Amino acid sequence: MFVRRASLIIDLDLIKNILIKDFANFHDRGVFNNVEDDPLTGHLVALEGEQWRAMRTKLSPVFTSARMKYMFSTVVRVGENLHRVMGDMLSEKSDQILEIKDLCARFTTDVIGNVAFGLECNSLQEPQAEFRVKGDKAFYTIHPFMEMIASTYPKLFHRFGYKVFTQELITFYSRIVRETVEYREKNGVKRNDFLDLLIELKNSPLEGEAEYQLDMEDIIAQAFVFFIGGFETSSSTMTFALYEMAKNPQVQERARKDVQDTLEKHKGAFGYDSLNDMGYVRQVVQETLRKHPVAPTGRRVCRRPFTLPGKPGLTVEPSVHIIIPVYAIHHDPEYYPQPEVFRPERFAPNEKGQRHPMTYLPFGAGPRTCIAERFGMMQTMMGLALLLKNFKFSLCDRTVKQLTFDPFNVRVFNTKEGIYLRVEKI
């Protein structure tokens, strides 16, 4: 990586050692952060060492199943709004063709804006709503090479006061969080969302952790990363899932039947428990994340000399970056026969249990696995279940035959072009 040495690890047992067994040697991601000049970078993904450990301990209780149930009603409400907006758009179009990628992004923007910032973003009704526009800027204002160089020379870039995000974004998100927190604390407003839970942690530290008190800058950074880590990743996964189901109508029909049968079993109610009962829809999302992983590579940094198990004489030195090729592993025919075929049955319990656990890494693994995995799956499955219940998706003349991936979106794996599908009401 420029002049910094890196090791590309493809041995699954070594990957397991790095991510789990010998995590103490590889606990950092090597992502540039500069909290003093750019408070938005003081988030869980970029923090290192003891700062990361303390923050992770603080935030882990926020993402339990019980907490997800508190946020579920917001996801359902925004999902029903997506259903209405899509229906209205279809009534205005004679060809029944819609661009799915932007619609999914507006859905997840509204969900995350609600639970992370307590805001009614209304981007489903207003595609150019400020929150939606600012969210896009968070992904596309960063030059990919600058981010890599900053990660290679962190001390130099700290000295220059380098900011990952523009001052416009820093001011925008900081202002929203400060104003919302101050309003809630002054007026006793409770919404049972992510921001409420952060406020609780600020005002009531966990027992034995008084030495690390969450402050306003911490709340701003965690709310921001929850937003950028949640809206684009889930919307991309929803988009790819709908694209694959349009190409594979038999998969779509089975997923729709899973939704219908589960709702019938739960008396027609979309609830947290009924959503978790949709086993085949979950497999569709898992196969989507295999074929189109949000993060195509995983990164760690070696912090102490580490001799590779079973490789006598091979030692990874401190500061060497570790690259884990997630996309390549997910497309390796040794682990997934015919990897370009979209087959959700790969994640049926009998097949899944036969594979090495490191063959599937969309959320990472070990202590530094994605903390919001539950929320991401809930949001994605809820959006897909509502759409499958009410609409049928198929290919059209405008559907791209071969996806072209965007090399300038440095944060998630996404396409350059829009995804157009024919959509019919059921």
Side-chain angles (χ1 to χ4, degrees), residues 79 83 86 106 141 143 155 166 171 224 241 268 275 288 297 301 312 342 385-386 410:
H83 167 214
M86 187 173 279
R106 285 153 58 190
T141 57
H143 197 286
K155 291 182 180 178
T166 63
T171 301
F224 174 71
L275 188 70
T288 302
T297 60
V301 179
F342 187 80
L386 271 166
V410 299

Side-chain angles (χ1 to χ4, degrees), residues 305-316:
F306 178 72
T307 301
L308 302 179
K311 311 283 183 182
L314 287 179
T315 299
V316 181

Side-chain angles (χ1 to χ4, degrees), residues 9-17 329 335 356 358-359:
I9 307 296
I10 60 173
D11 182 282
L12 299 182
D13 289 329
L14 284 180
I15 291 173
K16 186 175 181 180
N17 274 95
I329 291 169
Y335 313 129
H356 193 292
M358 298 298 107
T359 56

